Amino acid sequence: MTKVNKFRKLKQENGTHNSFGVTLQVSGYTELNMMVSNLLKASIILLNEDARNLSSLTAVTDTNVVNLLEIALQLLPEEEMDLLDDLHKIHLKAL
């Protein structure tokens, strides 16, 4: 097993044994924003009672929604938001 390098998708995070990262390729912040928005919209739809009544897999649906929301949280570009706040303050001063 040590000679076989087939496990390439997960990248170990900071030398920890139980935390891994996955690279997600996007064309830019617009696509990233759309992905997060679509994950949130899908979660809203799945939490809608009418949609839930159409599914006999309520427990599975709950798990899926939690998973979608966790992914959306991880995709939000937090550090970049700080930069946008700073740029907005500069813009307001220039007015």
Side-chain angles (χ1 to χ4, degrees):
M1 283 301 291
T2 58
K3 294 180 181 179
V4 177
N5 191 14
K6 297 290 182 185
F7 300 105
R8 298 180 184 180
K9 185 60 85 175
L10 298 179
K11 308 290 186 223
Q12 201 165 16
E13 295 280 329
N14 300 326
T16 63
H17 295 288
N18 60 353
S19 182
F20 298 89
V22 178
T23 302
L24 180 66
Q25 295 181 352
V26 295
S27 63
Y29 285 103
T30 300
E31 184 180 0
L32 178 61
N33 187 61
M34 289 183 68
M35 289 174 71
V36 173
S37 177
N38 288 337
L39 286 168
L40 294 172
K41 288 176 186 176
S43 297
I44 290 167
I45 290 168
L46 288 170
L47 290 171
N48 181 302
E49 191 165 338
D50 291 336
R52 291 172 68 86
N53 290 337
L54 295 175
S55 173
S56 61
L57 306 172
T58 305
V60 174
T61 301
D62 290 348
T63 302
N64 291 341
V65 171
V66 168
N67 186 262
L68 289 174
L69 293 171
E70 288 173 346
I71 292 169
L73 279 174
Q74 291 177 31
L75 290 174
L76 287 172
E78 293 175 19
E79 292 175 8
E80 288 84 347
M81 292 299 132
D82 291 337
L83 173 63
L84 287 174
D85 280 342
D86 292 342
L87 291 172
H88 186 246
K89 288 176 189 174
I90 292 169
H91 169 74
L92 291 175
K93 287 180 183 177
L95 291 179

